[in-house]
Every structure is written in structure tokens, then in C-alpha cells.
């Protein structure tokens, strides 16, 4: 659905990374982690298109107005990378944005009893937090493997820990956690009876998908793509499905078929 | 005051208002049903259909540019048979005319796709795409050579009894020449314009952004070009015209009607505002109310130069 949302807060949580909380329609309280929103930053024609953001959190709050009942909010976690996100970072409490919510297919949490392993890099941690929250509410054992180039890229770890998630961190330069790729840390801990949920840069997802196959651990990945419509009409955000070849093309629409896919559905390099 | 009359008749197709959705920007209709009332718009034009399903181009396929976007989707579609089996039943139940957009990889395929749509209930008319800049066959060749255009339009005309709309390319030296060729070959209406061929470059990587290198530019950036072409063609050809190009609001749409369009198509606007087509129709009506105009038809070609 389309919704005019009010910014509640917009805070820089790490250099160039922002966490924005917005009012949300009631319907969003039944959204699935991994689903996303399309946000129109302003009414101008530059930037023209909406921007997609995974849901970082959905919850309820009681506004400070007399007689107000609980209302739903949603949060996104974003990195300032271009014109759209730069503008977004200048918004304040009370500003309005136009949202399409909730879009796409989210994570399937799988049966209880398995260990749930979350693997995220940079802003890829965003949908994993909402997922961790729901998994912990179900009483599941959850571990998080978080990576980034340096400590500034490793976001909101305290929030995960507050949920009771065991966390492992790796950075390329060793400024936080282990030095190296998060996938190296992950591989040491992988065992059967686990289920992986991953979101982050494509090379990381590529490594996780291969590792999951090697160890026979089911794996879902949340993909990122340039999008125009977000509703499956423009076909601008497709990626190659597992059986893709030049002779028999197999494209999957990230906004509609995803953004969460079973890793075996996609073609990895 | 009585509500203004928003209806128009285009090549025998009666529409409750002049706002149509542009092919390739509205899927097969159902994708947008959550965001607008499909029965509030004039007509729907579906994604371009080919004889066999088509996978489209490699990615990246889209990139944003100031005031517009470039796309190189490459006419990905489910193919004519799947459209008839899976998409048309839903569209049949919607009380809004459906225009099926089609193209062929060869001249013969144009004729074949058109004939498969002929006689089908639920398809009010066809729009022939001779102007996609993103595919080698079936696209720009037919759209830039008046002789080839004449040939393909004549063939489609022989294969259909439905109203025949031809969608023109702006990537030509003289759009009037192309319009006349299509009119001579039996087109019942013309829609213009399709996207303008453009390009975006990634300076850091020193590579084109789009996998296809070039793409079609759409959005507000192309509106002045589209208005000019509609105006030029309206003066030269006695066919109803559909104006397309960067229409974002009711005022944009009415400008196209002044330039000579009987109807308009909304494209890129649906991406940033999925309810755009419905909103634009409402904004047009409001303009008429505010200015005491009884019928939207009185504005067609009413430009004073």
C-alpha cells in the first residue's frame, strides 16, 4: 500500500550510516522480515525514482499526544551513497515521505529447533535485525556473523546482543573483531542442523551460498538491485536464476520474486 | 456545476477519460491493482508481446538520470500464448479497455502475433511497437525507415480487425514522414513518443552503466521533445494521436491534448507513484472544473500558436 509517513527520528549511527524511524500503517505490523519499502525522498524530479530499503525494524510506540493509542513504526538503516540517500539524511522529525509498503517476499524462518545463523555485511544487517527479533520471540537460538571493511561498517551490534543473539564480528582491517572476511569466521562454525540467512554485498553472498552448499546447510539470501517500480512491472531489477544460460535465459525479479531467495534459486559466479 | 465530460473516443475505442497507461510501465495490469482503481482510467496498454516468450537483456537494465531514467529491459515478456491463457482472463473482468502492445522479431511475426489477438474478447485494440531502441530485431529498424514501417503496418492491418495504433519512435530525423507512412499503411491512430536513445557512463569504472550500453530515456526530461513531435504530427496527419512522454500530472496531460493528442499515456510516472494514472485523470478533471470547461474534447488541438 501507499502511505504518507512522518519521520520520527533520523540518526547517524556510524559515519555515513543512518537509522530512520517513521510512522507506518497498521498493515506493516504483519510484515515479514526481509520485505522492503520503496521510499520517495521528496516531490522533485531529481532524484526521480523511489529508493528501496529493507525493513530494519517494525514495532509500536505511543506518541506523546494526549489520548493517543499505540501506533506502528518502521525503521530503515541506510548508508549515504548518492543523491537520494544524501537527501534522506537531511530529513528531520516531522518531515513527510511517501512509502510503498510492504513489498516483496521475506525470509521463511524454517522449523523450530534448528540453529539460525545470520550473516550480514554493512547495511545488509538491516533486514537481519528484524528477523533476529522475530526469531528470538519464537525462542530460537540465533547467532550473528557481521562483517565490514572497518569498525564503522559494523552496525547496531549492541541491539542484536540486547536481543540475546550471540555475535561474531570480522573486519577487513581488524579494527573490530577478527581481521579478515566474516565468511571465514562463519565457516569455522558451520554445522548441520543450522539454517543461514544472509544479506550484504554480492561477493559475500556468493561465498556464503557456496559454503552453504558445501556443508549442506539451507541458505536464504536477501538481494539488492536497482529498482524502478518495486512491484514487478518494470522488470528492471532482474537477476540470473540458477538455470540461466544465453540459450535459455532465466531471470528472477528481485522486487517480486525476492528480495529473499533460496540460494539454490540463483546463479552464482 | 455538472461534472465535465472526460470521455474520448479513440479509433472507435470509447474511454471514460483520456488517461492510458504506457506499455512496459504497467506490467499486465494486476501488478497495480492494489494502488489504483483500474476502472478509473481510460485504458490499459499491456507489456509488449512477442510470439515466443522473451527473456530480455542482461543487467543492469535501468539507471536514473536527472529528470528521467534509462531502461534497456529488452522487451522481456511472457509471449502471446501465455498472455492469452494467464493474463487476459484477469483483464477481461476489468471494465476498462485493454490495448495489447505487440512486436515481432521479423516482419512475419508481427503479422502472426496480430492475428492471434484478432477476435479475442477482452482486447479492445492493438498497439504496434515499431520503435523499441533496445532490441536489434523488431524494433528500431521498422521505426526509422518509412518504407519498412509501411510494410509492417500494412501486414498487421491485414491480420487484424481491431483498431490499430502504431507507436512511433522519436529517434528519427523527421517524425512527420514516419507518421504519414503509417497513416498511408492503414494505422487507425498513432502514439508518440517512445523513448529517446540515451546513454549513461560510470566514470569510476570507465564503463557504460547499462549492460546494453545504450537505453531508452523516459520521464519528465523528454516531455518538451514529445510535445513538439505531437504538435508537428497533429498538423500533418488526420489520425487521432496519443501523447506520451514525461507526463507526471494533469497539467502535463492537458498540454499534450492542446498540442493535438486525443489521449495520453502515463509511463515512468507509474514507477514513482503507482497511482499516477488515476491521480492524473482526477487532476485533469479538476482543471476543467476550475476553468468552467464542459468537455475535455474541446481542448484537443486547441493550441493557439
Amino acid at each position: 500500500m501507499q502511505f504518507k509517513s512522518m519521520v520520527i527520528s533520523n540518526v547517524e549511527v556510524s559515519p555515513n550510516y543512518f537509522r530512520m524511524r517513521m510512522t507506518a500503517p497498521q498493515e506493516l505490523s504483519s510484515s515479514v522480515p526481509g520485505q522492503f519499502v520503496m521510499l520517495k525522498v521528496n516531490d522533485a524530479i531529481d532524484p526521480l525514482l523511489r529508493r528501496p530499503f529493507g525493513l530494519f525494524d517494525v514495532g509500536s510506540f505511543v506518541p506523546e499526544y494526549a489520548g493517543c493509542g499505540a501506533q506502528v513504526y518502521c525503521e530503515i538503516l541506510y548508508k549515504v551513497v548518492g543523491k537520494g540517500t544524501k537527501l534522506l539524511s537531511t530529513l528531520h522529525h516531522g518531515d513527510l515521505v511517501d512509502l510503498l509498503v510492504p513489498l516483496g517476499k521475506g525470509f521463511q524462518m524454517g522449523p523450530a529447533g534448528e540453529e539460525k545463523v545470520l550473516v550480514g555485511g554493512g547495511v545488509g544487517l538491516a533486514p537481519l535485525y528484524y528477523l533476529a527479533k522475530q526469531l528470538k520471540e519464537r525462542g530460537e537460538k540465533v547467532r550473528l556473523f557481521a562483517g565490514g571493511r572497518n569498525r564503522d561498517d559494523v552496525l547496531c551490534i549492541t541491539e542484536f546482543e540486547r536481543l540475546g543473539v550471540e555475535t561474531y564480528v570480522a573486519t577487513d582491517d581488524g579494527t573490530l573483531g577478527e581481521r579478515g572476511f566474516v565468511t571465514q569466521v562463519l565457516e569455522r562454525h558451520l554445522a548441520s542442523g543450522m539454517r543461514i540467512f544472509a544479506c550484504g554485498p554480492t561477493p559475500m553472498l556468493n561465498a556464503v551460498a557456496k559454503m552453504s552448499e558445501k556443508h549442506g546447510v539451507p541458505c536464504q539470501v536477501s538481494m539488492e538491485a536497482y529498482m524502478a517500480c518495486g512491484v514487478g512491472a518494470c522488470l528492471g531489477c532482474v537477476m540470473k536464476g540458477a538455470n540461466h544460460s544465453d540459450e535459455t535465459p532465466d531471470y528472477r525479479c528481485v522486487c517480486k520474486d525476492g528480495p529473499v531467495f533460496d540460494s539454490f534459486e540463483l546463479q552464482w559466479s | 456545476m455538472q461534472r465535465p465530460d472526460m470521455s474520448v473516443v479513440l479509433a472507435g475505442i470509447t474511454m471514460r477519460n483520456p488517461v492510458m497507461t504506457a506499455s512496459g510501465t504497467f506490467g499486465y495490469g494486476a501488478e497495480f491493482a492494489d494502488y489504483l482503481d483500474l476502472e478509473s482510467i481510460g485504458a490499459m496498454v499491456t507489456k509488449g508481446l512477442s510470439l515466443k516468450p522473451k527473456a530480455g537483456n542482461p543487467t543492469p537494465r535501468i539507471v536514473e538520470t536527472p529528470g528521467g531514467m534509462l531502461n534497456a529491459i529488452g522487451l522481456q515478456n511472457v509471449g502471446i500464448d501465455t498472455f492469452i491463457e494467464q493474463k487476459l482472463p484477469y483483464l477481461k473482468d476489468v471494465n476498462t479497455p485493454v490495448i495489447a502492445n505487440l512486436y515481432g522479431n521479423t516482419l512475419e511475426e508481427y503479422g502472426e502475433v496480430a492475428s492471434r489477438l484478432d477476435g479475442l474478447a477482452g482486447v479492445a485494440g492493438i498497439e504496434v511497437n515499431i520503435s523499441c531502441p533496445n532490441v536489434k530485431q523488431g524494433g528500431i529498424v521498422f521505426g526509422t525507415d518509412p518504407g519498412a514501417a509501411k510494410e509492417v503496418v500494412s501486414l498487421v492491418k491485414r491480420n487484424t480487425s481491431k483498431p490499430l495504433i502504431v507507436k512511433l519512435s522519436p529517434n528519427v530525423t523527421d517524425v512527420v514522414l514516419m507518421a504519414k507512412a503509417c497513416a498511408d499503411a492503414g494505422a487507425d491512430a498513432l502514439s508518440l513518443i517512445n523513448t529517446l536513445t540515451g546513454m549513461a557512463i560510470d566514470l569510476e569504472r570507465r564503463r557504460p552503466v547499462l549492460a546494453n550500453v545504450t537505453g531508452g530515456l523516459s520521464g519528465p526530461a523528454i516531455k518538451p521533445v514529445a510535445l513538439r513531435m505531437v504538435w508537428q504530427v497533429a498538423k500533418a496527419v488526420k489520425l487521432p494521436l496519443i501523447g506520451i512522454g514525461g507526463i507526471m500530472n494533469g497539467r502535463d496531460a492537458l498540454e499534450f491534448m492542446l498540442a493535438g493528442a486525443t489521449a495520453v499515456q502515463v509511463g515512468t510516472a507509474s514507477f514513482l507513484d503507482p497511482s499516477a494514472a488515476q491521480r492524473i485523470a482526477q487532476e485533469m478533471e479538476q482543471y476543467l472544473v476550475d476553468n468552467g470547461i464542459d468537455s475535455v474534447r474541446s481542448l484537443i488541438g486547441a493550441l493557439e500558436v
Side-chain angles (χ1 to χ4, degrees):
Chain A
M1 67 180 296
Q2 199 167 359
F3 185 76
K4 276 275 184 222
S5 167
M6 190 184 82
V7 175
I8 301 168
S9 62
N10 192 19
V11 182
E12 190 166 20
V13 291
S14 185
N16 266 338
Y17 289 98
F18 286 75
R19 181 174 166 179
M20 188 162 103
R21 182 177 284 200
M22 296 160 281
T23 57
Q26 189 65 40
E27 285 81 352
L28 211 60
S29 55
S30 55
S31 59
V32 177
Q35 287 189 298
F36 67 101
V37 304
M38 287 290 270
L39 189 151
K40 185 87 178 91
V41 181
N42 59 19
D43 291 333
I45 58 166
D46 185 22
L48 183 69
L49 300 174
R50 286 169 185 271
R51 298 289 188 267
F53 299 97
L55 286 167
F56 174 74
D57 193 14
V58 176
S60 65
F61 74 112
V62 179
E64 293 166 3
Y65 318 119
C68 225
Q71 292 188 8
V72 179
Y73 69 79
C74 68
E75 285 190 15
I76 58 171
L77 184 67
Y78 63 94
K79 183 180 186 179
V80 174
V81 286
K83 207 182 299 178
T85 41
K86 178 80 195 157
L87 274 168
L88 198 58
S89 71
T90 64
L91 297 182
H92 296 102
H93 172 81
D95 287 338
L96 295 179
V97 288
D98 192 284
L99 290 182
L100 300 182
V101 290
L103 301 173
K105 288 183 181 150
F107 291 106
Q108 292 176 324
M109 290 195 231
E114 304 163 320
E115 188 171 334
K116 308 298 198 251
V117 175
L118 316 184
V119 190
V123 282
L125 286 171
L128 299 179
Y129 178 71
Y130 187 26
L131 176 67
K133 209 170 131 182
Q134 292 208 354
L135 286 168
K136 289 309 284 182
E137 275 169 20
R138 289 190 355 173
E140 306 256 7
K141 179 168 185 196
V142 183
R143 275 203 262 192
L144 170 73
F145 293 83
R149 274 174 317 218
N150 58 53
R151 62 181 306 147
D152 292 342
D153 290 332
V154 182
L155 310 163
C156 302
I157 292 301
T158 335
E159 277 83 343
F160 281 94
E161 286 174 343
R162 217 175 281 150
L163 292 173
V165 173
E166 200 178 321
T167 61
Y168 301 81
V169 174
T171 50
D172 296 0
D173 65 358
T175 47
L176 193 68
E178 272 188 46
R179 186 193 201 97
F181 291 142
V182 69
T183 43
Q184 294 161 343
V185 186
L186 171 70
E187 185 145 38
R188 291 204 302 270
H189 291 86
L190 266 191
S192 59
M194 292 180 170
R195 183 174 293 263
I196 299 175
F197 305 85
C199 184
T202 308
M204 186 201 94
L205 296 179
N206 197 3
V208 174
K210 292 212 168 103
M211 209 178 285
S212 73
E213 196 183 339
K214 186 171 136 196
H215 292 267
V217 175
C219 174
Q220 291 166 59
V221 291
S222 176
M223 304 305 294
E224 210 180 45
Y226 287 110
M227 286 180 190
C229 72
V231 299
C234 72
L235 307 177
C237 65
V238 298
M239 49 205 331
K240 290 173 186 167
N243 299 319
H244 179 92
S245 69
D246 287 345
E247 295 72 38
T248 53
D250 169 20
Y251 284 116
R252 308 292 170 91
C253 201
V254 173
C255 72
K256 199 80 181 172
D257 302 327
V260 176
F261 295 90
D262 283 319
S263 59
F264 59 78
E265 284 181 83
L266 300 176
Q267 189 172 92
W268 302 99
S269 57
Chain B
M1 180 190 154
Q2 220 180 345
R3 287 181 69 182
D5 181 0
M6 292 293 290
S7 68
V8 292
V9 181
L10 184 119
I13 304 164
T14 303
M15 303 195 288
R16 61 174 66 84
N17 61 54
V19 182
M20 310 164 72
T21 58
S23 176
T25 63
F26 207 68
Y28 301 99
E31 291 89 339
F32 285 82
D34 287 344
Y35 300 97
L36 54 72
D37 176 5
L38 295 174
E39 299 188 354
S40 71
I41 57 178
M44 283 184 277
V45 186
T46 58
K47 183 112 187 88
L49 298 162
S50 49
L51 190 57
K52 298 269 179 272
K54 189 170 167 68
N57 287 334
T59 59
R61 290 175 169 187
I62 50 167
V63 57
E64 189 180 69
T65 62
M69 61 175 277
L70 286 164
N71 90 79
I73 307 299
L75 295 172
Q76 179 177 343
N77 78 98
V78 297
I80 185 70
D81 293 335
T82 306
F83 171 77
I84 293 168
E85 283 161 30
Q86 293 176 16
K87 309 291 182 186
L88 197 54
Y90 173 83
L91 293 170
K92 264 185 203 162
D93 290 338
V94 180
N95 180 27
T96 293
V98 172
I99 314 290
N101 181 291
L102 65 87
Y103 73 96
N105 289 311
T106 60
L107 187 62
E108 293 69 31
E109 268 187 41
Y110 272 98
E112 178 63 27
V113 184
S115 69
R116 291 206 193 184
L117 285 164
D118 204 39
L120 273 185
V123 176
I126 59 177
E127 181 183 69
V128 179
N129 180 4
I130 57 166
S131 46
C132 179
N134 295 324
V135 291
K136 288 186 187 70
Q137 301 92 7
I140 205 70
V141 180
F142 294 107
T144 52
D145 172 0
K150 214 167 190 167
E151 210 175 349
V152 72
V153 175
S154 306
L155 176 71
V156 172
K157 186 72 183 171
R158 287 198 298 276
N159 282 279
T160 188
S161 54
K162 293 188 188 292
L164 167 56
I165 304 164
V166 181
K167 187 166 178 177
L168 299 180
S169 169
N171 303 308
V172 292
T173 315
D174 186 354
V175 70
V176 172
L177 208 61
M178 294 300 300
K180 282 181 172 163
C182 296
D184 291 347
D188 299 305
L190 302 173
S191 48
L192 61 159
I193 57 175
N194 206 322
T195 53
L196 284 151
T197 309
M199 186 173 178
I201 290 175
D202 182 333
L203 183 61
E204 270 63 47
R205 291 169 56 242
R206 300 190 182 187
R207 285 176 174 279
V209 177
L210 296 172
N212 194 51
V213 184
T214 60
L217 178 66
S218 63
I222 72 166
K223 192 185 114 185
V225 178
L227 271 177
R228 182 263 294 178
M229 289 190 163
V230 168
W231 177 67
Q232 284 180 323
V233 171
K235 285 192 299 178
V237 176
K238 293 270 167 274
L239 285 181
L241 305 181
I242 303 169
I244 320 166
I247 296 172
M248 306 295 285
N249 54 52
R251 298 185 70 88
D252 291 337
L254 290 164
E255 290 172 22
F256 274 91
M257 295 191 71
L258 285 183
T262 297
V264 295
Q265 288 180 12
V266 172
T268 303
S270 294
F271 293 158
L272 38 141
D273 174 11
S275 63
Q278 180 171 359
R279 171 179 54 79
I280 288 168
Q282 286 162 351
E283 289 170 356
M284 292 171 80
E285 185 172 343
Q286 191 58 48
Y287 175 89
L288 266 59
V289 171
D290 293 346
N291 290 277
I293 301 165
D294 297 336
S295 163
V296 73
R297 294 188 298 279
S298 66
L299 294 175
I300 300 170
L303 185 73
E304 294 172 27
V305 185

